[in-house]
Amino acid sequence: MRRVEVGGESPYAVHVGRDLTRSVEIAQRRRALIVDSGLPGVTVAGVLDALSPEVVVEVPSGEACKTTAVYAEVLSRLARAALPRDSAVISLGGGATTDLGGFVAATYLRGVASYTLPTTLLGAVDAAVGGKTGLNLPEGKNLVGAFWSPRGVWCDVTWLATLPPAVFRDGCAEVFKHGLLTDGNLCDRVLAPDFGPEASDLVDVVADAVKVKADVVTRDPRESGERAVLNLGHTLAHALEAVTDHGVSHGEAVGYGLHYAAILSRDLGGRDLTDLTARFLRFLRPTPLPPLEWSDVAPLIARDKKADSAGVRFVLLPEIGRAELTRVPEAAASAAFVTWRGAVAELLTSDS
Amino acid sequence: MRRVEVGGESPYAVHVGRDLTRSVEIAQRRRALIVDSGLPGVTVAGVLDALSPEVVVEVPSGEACKTTAVYAEVLSRLARAALPRDSAVISLGGGATTDLGGFVAATYLRGVASYTLPTTLLGAVDAAVGGKTGLNLPEGKNLVGAFWSPRGVWCDVTWLATLPPAVFRDGCAEVFKHGLLTDGNLCDRVLAPDFGPEASDLVDVVADAVKVKADVVTRDPRESGERAVLNLGHTLAHALEAVTDHGVSHGEAVGYGLHYAAILSRDLGGRDLTDLTARFLRFLRPTPLPPLEWSDVAPLIARDKKADSAGVRFVLLPEIGRAELTRVPEAAASAAFVTWRGAVAELLTSDS
């Protein structure tokens, strides 16, 4: 089992291993489990057996759980059980489930202990690290939430192999991004021919990817500076998710967004990393996008919560390992969009 | 204008004065105003004129705004206006409005600047100080929320005189409680024959009452210890509000609860302060309670969010200025309840 420390205001550890359910440590005796209703029964049964929660709340699978209505219902379930302040809220599921569960923990009785057991690659390498919790609104994703660190995170990589291959590929986008933000090693591992949910080095890949994010958020827990680099590829990605009404998954949108970031960075004088991001996009085989104009996505980009009153900034990648939050002229952003659209069309038709 | 400093993790000041709308300082250019729909037009017009918010959200008056449904609607209004992270959410209204507005500020885009303009005595001396924000659930009051300090609070005491006398009296319960927690001086001022919304010393009474709470929360911002004394009278009060489905107001419930706390404290060996709390209850003239048994309120007390897994504790007052959080045997609590019920019946019939 690998253990990765996350620092900041409330330090905790992310544990990555195989068959680790029996190693999960919950300090609180009274426990609620919030669980994605789409999980395999064997995963849920193992956790129930090990942790004996007194309240189990099944929530809709994936993003469908991140609504204010589901949030209100989960809170009422905890209140009806009269769970006190020294209880634990444990979230078992993908990043959406842990975002919801974390926000419930952050706000039930003004805050109780949170623990997360991510069952997806995306949930393990992204949502589980950094204390962000939240909900979506009809107006956009993650527009509501709180910073609330879990007391501990446990990811059993055997869970990852029980989910559909597309869910696993989805999480690869963040692992690949973490490779771009450091030395490129994680990019190579994701693109290696034997990589997948059964890969023998999976514990290390997951733990290494967790560590990249952990190191960034340890230095900038409240996203006041450096942490913004984790948003590489995400500004366009959020717009693509919104404009397709989540017809593309988060990982697919990030795959598209990383290729866009590579094009924009090259156009603005950086090294040409577009071959690498194109290889990843081919690996990802994302759901095709509808025909899009810059004018379709520009207003959504302006609403991105990383925007401030002075305009939108993009994370650029002048070279591997050096990401920079930069204010970009709209003309450059829209020109890169046209280039990107053409490149994507060619990439995804040429080898299908 | 009096200025009271509140320390802790995010220090700020509470300003109390007359006609101070022009003195309100909001650092952010982009502003949303959340306003109690029951306020006099002149109060709202003055604030709109001084602060020029770009979004104005009217919410139901009083506790009716503290629902997850209203919360979701307010968040959507901010999102539709694409208010960015460096915006301000300003709450104008009583404690319920500022609780809601503060929770919106705490969670919109994972936290934006909050400012509160309390228009009720209760809002000024209680809700405005200490950074607690929150909502009710069908299962109970304030079961959801976050600690999120405002950047500043301004209370114009001329607002207090524009509201119904019962609203003013309601706030007196917390002022009186703050007197019990210190040297009794505020108790005497509330019970003075000339006290009321037009009293000449009102700015000082409000500011002094604010200062009592400010000093406590400065020493214990997260309610890990001393802050619990502010709950004097509140454990029974919350149960009475719940069991009457808010047929008694918060101030009335606290008035009842303070008399109960005085009886329980005396029964357990403290000084007899029941004459003082009885005088206050007569002054308050609260809505009568339905016939109640200990078994009606005991389960609600067990659900109080101040309860932990080991049982319920009450704040006792062995003498003026010395409040103590104490675990109380159920037999003593139920016996005091019977005494209290008899005393209340006599008090409220003998001089009506």
Side-chain angles (χ1 to χ4, degrees):
Chain A
M1 187 163 80
R2 288 268 307 268
R3 179 185 165 99
V4 182
E5 304 290 337
V6 184
E9 297 166 7
S10 311
Y12 62 97
V14 179
H15 310 77
V16 183
R18 292 184 190 273
D19 302 313
L20 51 59
T21 313
R22 291 279 158 199
S23 308
V24 175
E25 291 168 39
I26 310 287
Q28 291 74 16
R29 190 178 55 83
R30 301 196 60 179
R31 304 166 181 180
L33 180 71
I34 297 176
V35 56
D36 181 319
S37 62
L39 286 181
V42 61
T43 301
V44 180
V47 170
L48 287 177
D49 192 45
L51 302 183
S52 307
E54 67 181 279
V55 181
V56 180
V57 189
E58 283 209 357
V59 297
S61 204
E63 291 288 317
C65 78
K66 288 178 65 176
T67 67
T68 52
V70 171
Y71 169 64
E73 177 55 30
V74 174
L75 289 167
S76 279
R77 288 285 302 278
L78 305 194
R80 286 203 289 277
L83 282 181
R85 278 189 175 170
D86 54 353
S87 303
V89 171
I90 306 160
S91 308
L92 175 68
T97 313
T98 58
D99 279 359
L100 167 73
F103 189 52
V104 167
T107 56
Y108 176 66
L109 304 184
R110 297 200 189 90
V112 300
S114 178
Y115 296 83
T116 57
L117 310 183
T119 57
T120 65
L121 184 56
L122 182 60
V125 304
D126 187 19
V129 185
K132 286 188 182 179
T133 69
L135 307 175
N136 303 328
L137 293 178
E139 289 76 16
K141 267 189 76 167
N142 294 324
L143 294 182
V144 193
F147 286 91
W148 193 253
S149 290
R151 305 287 177 96
V153 177
W154 283 265
C155 174
D156 185 333
V157 300
T158 65
W159 294 334
L160 308 184
T162 66
L163 297 172
V167 173
F168 184 84
R169 266 206 313 279
D170 217 40
C172 293
E174 299 291 344
V175 178
F176 185 82
K177 183 197 77 180
H178 290 180
L180 291 173
L181 292 176
T182 48
D183 60 3
N185 181 37
L186 282 167
C187 301
D188 297 339
R189 288 158 89 178
V190 166
L191 293 172
D194 61 345
F195 186 67
E198 312 283 2
S200 59
D201 63 347
L202 190 56
V203 168
D204 283 325
V205 171
V206 172
D208 288 350
V210 165
K211 186 160 168 35
V212 172
K213 182 162 181 184
D215 288 349
V216 172
V217 305
T218 296
R219 291 189 295 261
D220 178 18
R222 286 277 169 158
E223 199 163 24
S224 46
E226 182 193 350
R227 184 164 174 171
V229 303
L230 294 172
N231 232 37
L232 180 69
H234 280 60
T235 304
L236 181 65
H238 289 153
L240 295 177
E241 289 178 89
V243 80
T244 63
D245 198 14
H246 297 279
V248 294
S249 70
H250 183 66
E252 292 173 334
V254 171
Y256 282 123
L258 290 173
H259 195 48
Y260 173 75
I263 291 169
L264 183 60
S265 302
R266 178 198 63 194
D267 289 359
L268 292 170
R271 289 188 186 223
D272 188 350
L273 303 172
T274 60
D275 278 356
L276 186 60
T277 53
R279 277 179 65 205
F280 180 68
L281 207 49
R282 269 207 206 87
F283 158 87
L284 198 59
R285 287 179 279 128
T287 306
L289 294 166
L292 288 175
E293 301 299 328
W294 173 247
S295 57
D296 296 322
V297 297
L300 295 161
I301 285 174
R303 184 183 289 174
D304 190 272
K305 65 184 180 308
K306 305 304 184 305
D308 60 24
S309 299
V312 166
R313 296 173 297 179
F314 284 88
V315 179
L316 299 183
L317 192 71
E319 62 184 316
I320 285 185
R322 184 157 68 87
E324 294 168 354
L325 186 62
T326 312
R327 202 173 301 282
V328 170
E330 165 128 16
S334 65
F337 181 85
V338 174
T339 308
W340 165 84
R341 190 177 55 187
V344 163
E346 193 176 338
L347 265 172
L348 299 181
T349 52
S350 62
D351 61 0
S352 64
Chain B
M1 188 163 80
R2 288 268 307 268
R3 180 186 163 98
V4 182
E5 304 291 337
V6 185
E9 295 167 8
S10 311
Y12 62 97
V14 179
H15 309 78
V16 183
R18 293 184 190 273
D19 302 314
L20 52 57
T21 313
R22 291 279 160 200
S23 308
V24 175
E25 291 167 40
I26 309 286
Q28 291 73 16
R29 191 177 57 81
R30 300 196 61 179
R31 302 166 182 180
L33 181 71
I34 297 175
V35 56
D36 181 320
S37 62
L39 286 182
V42 61
T43 301
V44 180
V47 170
L48 287 177
D49 192 45
L51 302 182
S52 307
E54 68 181 277
V55 181
V56 180
V57 189
E58 284 208 354
V59 297
S61 205
E63 291 288 319
C65 79
K66 289 178 65 175
T67 66
T68 53
V70 172
Y71 168 65
E73 177 55 30
V74 174
L75 289 166
S76 279
R77 288 286 301 278
L78 306 193
R80 287 204 287 278
L83 281 180
R85 279 188 174 173
D86 55 352
S87 303
V89 171
I90 306 161
S91 308
L92 176 68
T97 314
T98 59
D99 279 358
L100 167 73
F103 189 53
V104 167
T107 56
Y108 177 65
L109 303 183
R110 296 199 189 89
V112 301
S114 177
Y115 296 83
T116 56
L117 310 182
T119 58
T120 65
L121 184 56
L122 183 60
V125 304
D126 187 20
V129 185
K132 285 188 181 179
T133 69
L135 306 175
N136 303 327
L137 293 178
E139 290 76 16
K141 269 190 74 167
N142 294 322
L143 294 181
V144 193
F147 285 92
W148 194 253
S149 290
R151 305 287 178 96
V153 177
W154 283 265
C155 175
D156 186 334
V157 299
T158 65
W159 294 335
L160 309 183
T162 66
L163 297 172
V167 174
F168 185 82
R169 266 206 313 280
D170 216 40
C172 294
E174 299 291 343
V175 178
F176 185 83
K177 183 196 77 180
H178 290 181
L180 291 174
L181 292 176
T182 48
D183 59 4
N185 182 36
L186 282 167
C187 301
D188 297 339
R189 288 159 89 179
V190 166
L191 293 173
D194 62 343
F195 186 67
E198 312 284 1
S200 58
D201 64 345
L202 189 57
V203 168
D204 283 325
V205 171
V206 172
D208 288 349
V210 165
K211 186 159 168 32
V212 173
K213 181 162 181 183
D215 289 349
V216 172
V217 304
T218 296
R219 291 189 294 262
D220 179 17
R222 287 277 169 158
E223 199 164 24
S224 45
E226 183 193 349
R227 184 165 175 172
V229 302
L230 294 171
N231 233 37
L232 180 68
H234 280 60
T235 303
L236 180 65
H238 289 154
L240 296 178
E241 290 177 271
V243 80
T244 62
D245 199 14
H246 297 280
V248 294
S249 70
H250 183 66
E252 292 173 333
V254 171
Y256 282 123
L258 290 173
H259 194 48
Y260 174 76
I263 291 170
L264 183 60
S265 301
R266 179 198 62 192
D267 290 358
L268 292 170
R271 288 189 186 222
D272 188 350
L273 302 172
T274 59
D275 279 355
L276 185 60
T277 54
R279 277 178 66 205
F280 180 68
L281 207 49
R282 270 206 206 87
F283 158 88
L284 198 60
R285 285 180 279 128
T287 306
L289 293 166
L292 288 176
E293 301 298 328
W294 174 247
S295 57
D296 296 323
V297 297
L300 296 160
I301 285 174
R303 184 183 289 174
D304 190 273
K305 66 185 178 312
K306 305 303 184 305
D308 60 23
S309 298
V312 167
R313 296 173 296 179
F314 285 88
V315 180
L316 299 183
L317 192 70
E319 62 185 315
I320 285 186
R322 185 157 68 89
E324 293 168 355
L325 185 62
T326 312
R327 202 173 301 282
V328 170
E330 165 130 16
S334 65
F337 181 84
V338 173
T339 309
W340 165 85
R341 190 177 56 187
V344 163
E346 192 177 338
L347 265 172
L348 299 181
T349 51
S350 61
D351 62 359
S352 64

